[in-house]
Amino acid sequence: MKKITLSLIISLAVNLVGALINYIYYQFNRHLFLCFRSFGGEITVESGFGLIAVHIYAMEPNSSDSLHLRFEPLAFIVWLLAIALIVFLILFLIGKIRKK
């Protein structure tokens, strides 16, 4: 139980720092820094640490691009659990190696 709690705390810290880095980078560059990118036609979707940035590029000469940044709680939880699982496995392996 102690390893699970520690894993979740470390994961929460990593997720919050990652989301903060992405938010600050978005404010300056209009893109997320640590993310997965999906491309399709005139749209690009960037997802990382619970933040989702949607870029819709104008296809007409007098139009302007559309940029949206939003927080997705479900994506944040998925990232939180994925990183917690990785941290838990690392702690588990370290514990097994130390016992030898």
Side-chain angles (χ1 to χ4, degrees):
M1 192 60 141
K2 184 178 172 182
K3 288 181 186 176
I4 293 173
T5 305
L6 182 60
S7 299
L8 286 172
I9 291 170
I10 292 170
S11 177
L12 181 62
V14 168
N15 276 298
L16 291 175
V17 168
L20 181 64
I21 289 169
N22 275 344
Y23 181 75
I24 292 170
Y25 192 83
Y26 180 83
Q27 293 301 319
F28 290 108
N29 300 307
R30 297 297 181 208
H31 289 282
L32 298 181
F33 183 65
L34 305 168
C35 67
F36 291 106
R37 287 185 177 88
S38 301
F39 302 97
E42 70 273 357
I43 188 170
T44 301
V45 178
E46 300 172 335
S47 175
F49 297 104
L51 294 176
I52 300 199
V54 179
H55 305 268
I56 301 174
Y57 300 102
M59 300 302 284
E60 297 177 3
N62 295 330
S63 298
S64 61
D65 294 345
S66 173
L67 300 168
H68 299 285
L69 179 69
R70 69 179 187 266
F71 175 74
E72 285 290 328
L74 183 60
F76 185 80
I77 291 170
V78 168
W79 278 95
L80 181 76
L81 293 177
I83 293 174
L85 178 64
I86 293 168
V87 171
F88 179 78
L89 290 174
I90 291 171
L91 292 174
F92 179 77
L93 291 174
I94 289 172
K96 288 292 182 183
I97 291 171
R98 283 191 176 174
K99 284 185 179 180
K100 287 185 177 182

